Amino acid sequence: MSTHNPSGSEPEGGGQPSFDKQPPSPGGGTPEGAPSDPSGNPPPSSPPPPAGSPYDDRPGAYGGTYGGTPGGSPYGQPPYGQGPYGGPPPDQPPPGYGPTGYGTPGAGPIPGMPPLGSWPNRILAQVIDYVLAQIVAVLLVLPFASLGDRSGSAGAFWLACGLLLIYDGVMLSRDGQTLGKKAMKVRVAMLIDGTTPTPAAAWTRSAVFILPAVICCAALWWLIDLLFGVFDKPYRQCIHDKAAKTVVVSTV
């Protein structure tokens, strides 16, 4: 006895007849005609990931995963006083710097450098060096000219300036101190790292301080040069320090 196929066609390969596939329902549920459980209900959807799971995409559902905080980043916050990559945060200066740029009390202009030298000590050190150079110049000039003469006084001054230029350049390139600076407990240091001035820096500093005074108006030039350092921020550099990229620090 033969079976009757209502559609008039035989299934391919002589197998079992196929069922027409129905498109999924618009709501994403079980497709029409799909098998269901014996109770007639569609199969349940996958359960949501557990709370605190890194795959949980609900807002504020990290729950402290990886050290985070609920509603925050799963990677947590950096420890206080550190930036996101282990360094200081952008709004905090590096160690050794204060809010004014002079460094914290007892700290120098850069980390590890002594504090800046005080103005009275710096001025007195310069006066001591000039007086020493002037005494030597006078002793050298006296045998040849009277200091009462205009030429004798000018000669002693120019000689003193020449001696001071050489004396400053040699002494500062050796250890950053002249006799006056040793007496007043200050020294000249390279601004970049606090080391002894290089020969180029030492001679540049000395030349910028002395040569304009020899050319014209020595007292006015030295006054302008020193006052420049009073108002300079943050390292209190005079003009000759700016030119040589040096700074005056304390040795105590």
Side-chain angles (χ1 to χ4, degrees):
M1 181 176 176
S2 62
T3 58
H4 176 67
N5 185 353
S7 63
S9 62
E10 292 291 332
E12 273 186 40
Q16 297 296 324
S18 62
F19 297 93
D20 292 337
K21 295 183 179 179
Q22 300 293 332
S25 61
T30 306
E32 204 176 313
S36 60
D37 64 7
S39 65
N41 297 321
S45 59
S46 301
S53 167
Y55 303 102
D56 189 355
D57 57 358
R58 294 174 300 166
Y62 287 111
T65 306
Y66 304 125
T69 55
S73 167
Y75 304 104
Q77 298 295 329
Y80 178 77
Q82 289 190 9
Y85 303 104
D91 58 344
Q92 292 187 14
Y97 283 84
T100 62
Y102 290 106
T104 53
I110 64 173
M113 187 184 290
L116 296 172
S118 68
W119 269 113
N121 287 358
R122 293 176 63 176
I123 293 174
L124 285 174
Q126 198 67 64
V127 169
I128 291 172
D129 290 332
Y130 177 77
V131 169
L132 291 176
Q134 189 69 59
I135 290 174
V136 174
V138 168
L139 293 176
L140 293 175
V141 168
L142 274 179
F144 305 99
S146 171
L147 294 180
D149 298 345
R150 183 181 181 88
S151 59
S153 299
F157 171 74
W158 290 335
L159 181 57
C161 287
L163 292 173
L164 189 59
L165 189 152
I166 298 171
Y167 163 76
D168 249 16
V170 172
M171 297 289 283
L172 295 184
S173 60
R174 188 183 67 172
D175 59 5
Q177 287 185 294
T178 59
L179 294 178
K181 289 176 174 58
K182 288 180 185 292
M184 301 312 301
K185 310 296 184 185
V186 295
R187 72 177 178 90
V188 178
M190 296 301 296
L191 177 62
I192 190 172
D193 55 10
T195 57
T196 298
T198 62
W203 286 100
T204 298
R205 188 180 190 276
S206 182
V208 173
F209 181 68
I210 297 296
L211 293 182
V214 174
I215 295 171
C216 178
C217 310
L220 180 60
W221 164 247
W222 285 333
L223 179 63
I224 293 172
D225 187 22
L226 294 175
L227 285 178
F228 188 93
V230 174
F231 299 102
D232 177 66
K233 305 294 182 183
Y235 304 123
R236 293 184 284 191
Q237 293 171 290
C238 297
I239 296 174
H240 55 281
D241 283 311
K242 289 281 188 185
K245 297 180 174 59
T246 57
V247 66
V248 180
V249 297
S250 175
T251 60
V252 295

